[in-house]
């Protein structure tokens, strides 16, 4: 059995992570499948960003990141497609959706069901992605809806290669 066979059938929740560079004001965001709670008390959440991604480059300067949970309806799938199939190197994603500035200027997507804004405590190098360990400073939204998952995503071609 190889690693692809091991994870076959897993259905991870998908998130949109947004960041803002406090020095330049540059905004970025991307669809993320590698994310998990890492601690109960204190609560901690880890999101992993590909080094190839513009969001990663922006997040290296960010002090906070926002993690957005999307639902499964058509409008939420369109938001997932915007942040998953387009690259911020070519398109201003925030000009194509409704958002507002959150803590420390991090973009908060208006259409997202819920979000967590977390202060970046640590950056870790687990492989071809970099993990950002977050300490929540703001949590908001409706937690009742089922999240968009890998299997319920629309068919997307990534804006950047995964690794």
């Amino acid at each position: 059995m190889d690693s692809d066979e091991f994870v076959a059938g897993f259905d991870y929740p998908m998130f949109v992570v947004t960041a803002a560079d406090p020095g330049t004001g540059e905004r970025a965001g991307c669809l993320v499948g590698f994310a998990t709670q890492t601690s109960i008390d204190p609560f901690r959440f880890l999101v992993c960003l590909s080094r190839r991604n513009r969001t990663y480059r922006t997040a290296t300067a960010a002090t906070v990141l926002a993690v957005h949970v999307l639902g499964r309806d058509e409008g939420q799938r369109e938001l997932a497609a915007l942040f998953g199939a387009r690259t911020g190197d070519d398109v201003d994603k925030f000009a194509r959706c409704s958002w507002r500035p959150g803590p420390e200027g991090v973009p908060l997507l208006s259409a997202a069901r819920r979000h967590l804004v977390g202060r970046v405590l640590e950056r870790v190098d687990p492989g071809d992605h970099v993990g950002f360990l977050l300490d929540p400073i703001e949590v908001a939204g409706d937690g009742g809806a089922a999240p968009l998952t890998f299997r319920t995503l629309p068919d997307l071609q990534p804006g950047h290669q995964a690794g």
Side-chain angles (χ1 to χ4, degrees):
M1 173 183 277
D2 67 15
S3 57
D4 287 340
E5 290 175 304
F6 177 78
V7 298
F10 288 8
D11 195 17
Y12 299 106
M14 302 298 293
F15 304 92
V16 172
V17 173
T18 58
D21 180 329
T24 65
E26 176 184 357
R27 298 179 304 270
C30 65
L31 191 66
V32 170
F34 298 154
T36 189
Q37 179 180 343
T38 62
S39 176
I40 296 169
D41 188 17
F43 183 90
R44 298 287 186 259
F45 200 80
L46 181 77
V47 295
C48 298
L49 302 174
S50 170
R51 286 184 182 84
R52 295 183 180 181
N53 194 303
R54 182 170 186 254
T55 304
Y56 163 74
R57 295 189 302 272
T58 302
T60 59
T63 54
V64 300
L65 300 179
V67 181
H68 302 82
V69 178
L70 303 180
R72 296 181 180 188
D73 62 66
E74 186 60 30
Q76 299 286 285
R77 290 168 179 257
E78 289 172 6
L79 200 55
L82 173 63
F83 282 90
R86 306 301 298 263
T87 172
D89 292 330
D90 300 329
V91 167
D92 180 356
K93 298 175 192 181
F94 298 97
R96 298 170 183 237
C97 68
S98 178
W99 66 278
R100 65 179 174 81
E104 300 187 32
V106 69
L108 298 178
L109 304 178
S110 302
R113 298 276 194 260
R114 50 189 151 157
H115 71 262
L116 174 150
V117 177
R119 184 159 314 287
V120 178
L121 294 179
E122 192 173 338
R123 292 168 177 86
V124 295
D125 182 359
D128 60 7
H129 286 58
V130 172
F132 291 76
L133 185 63
L134 304 178
D135 176 20
I137 59 173
E138 178 179 301
V139 180
D142 172 13
L148 186 66
T149 64
F150 182 75
R151 288 187 173 188
T152 58
L153 271 176
D155 188 23
L156 303 176
Q157 293 297 330
H160 282 284
Q161 293 298 319

